[in-house]
Amino acid sequence: MTTQTDHIEISMLISRFFRALDERKFEGDWARSYFTDDVRTVTPIGSSDGIEAMEDTKEALGRYARTQHIASDVLVDAEPVPVRAGASWNALMTHVHHDATLQQRGKDANPLFTVGGYYEAELRRTGQGWRISHMSVRAVWTTGEPPVLPPEIQPTQAA
């Protein structure tokens, strides 16, 4: 059974992570504030393993001028002696394209690429508090056009 404290700590971790993305706070060992060293992430454009792979997140956000990530309805399920937990939450992710992208696409280009979906995560309690050890995002709907991806990145197909 999840304690109220576990739910609050995990919800705050998620909120702080989303805020760090939007404020582009990637100083020092930023990823270790949210993730375990062996983290695995799964997104519509691929999977990454290990804390070093979180550099992919910085690169992905750099494709946009600004972003806003909103998390809601966080559900947490922790073990009776909480060492591990699962969490899921709805997310609305708004991405503002760079001016250069809009110029390239023409005068009627939509400045926004918006994604509605949800996240699922597994977490572990560490000496520094709860950390995400596995996180996946599933896009349910999108509006606008995504950025042009480099040729080496191919989006995964939804099942």
Side-chain angles (χ1 to χ4, degrees), residues 122-141:
E122 296 171 12
L123 299 97
R124 286 197 305 260
R125 185 185 294 281
T126 71
Q128 293 75 42
W130 287 104
R131 296 294 185 265
I132 298 167
S133 59
H134 184 276
M135 183 173 71
S136 63
V137 60
R138 171 121 181 157
V140 176
W141 60 267

Side-chain angles (χ1 to χ4, degrees), residues 28-153:
D29 239 0
W30 77 276
R32 284 188 171 83
S33 298
Y34 309 101
F35 300 97
T36 60
D37 284 343
D38 62 346
V39 64
R40 176 165 180 73
T41 60
V42 180
T43 73
I45 60 170
S47 302
S48 296
D49 291 302
I51 198 79
E52 299 80 20
M54 293 311 296
E55 292 296 315
D56 295 345
T57 299
K58 289 170 45 176
E59 191 275 328
L61 288 172
R63 296 181 190 131
Y64 303 101
R66 291 174 305 288
T67 59
Q68 185 175 34
H69 293 76
I70 300 172
S72 70
D73 305 322
V74 176
L75 302 173
V76 175
D77 184 26
E79 295 176 351
V81 178
V83 177
R84 296 186 182 277
S88 63
W89 62 95
N90 293 320
L92 178 62
M93 301 156 278
T94 304
H95 310 84
V96 180
H97 288 295
H98 288 288
D99 288 341
T101 301
L102 297 174
Q103 290 170 357
Q104 189 178 40
R105 290 185 173 163
K107 67 180 179 115
D108 295 328
N110 186 339
L112 302 179
F113 174 55
T114 306
V115 180
Y118 61 90
Y119 280 72
E120 292 182 333
E122 296 171 12
L123 299 97
R124 286 197 305 260
R125 185 185 294 281
T126 71
Q128 293 75 42
W130 287 104
R131 296 294 185 265
I132 298 167
S133 59
H134 184 276
M135 183 173 71
S136 63
V137 60
R138 171 121 181 157
V140 176
W141 60 267
T142 64
T143 61
E145 289 185 71
V148 176
L149 296 174
E152 65 273 10
I153 299 176

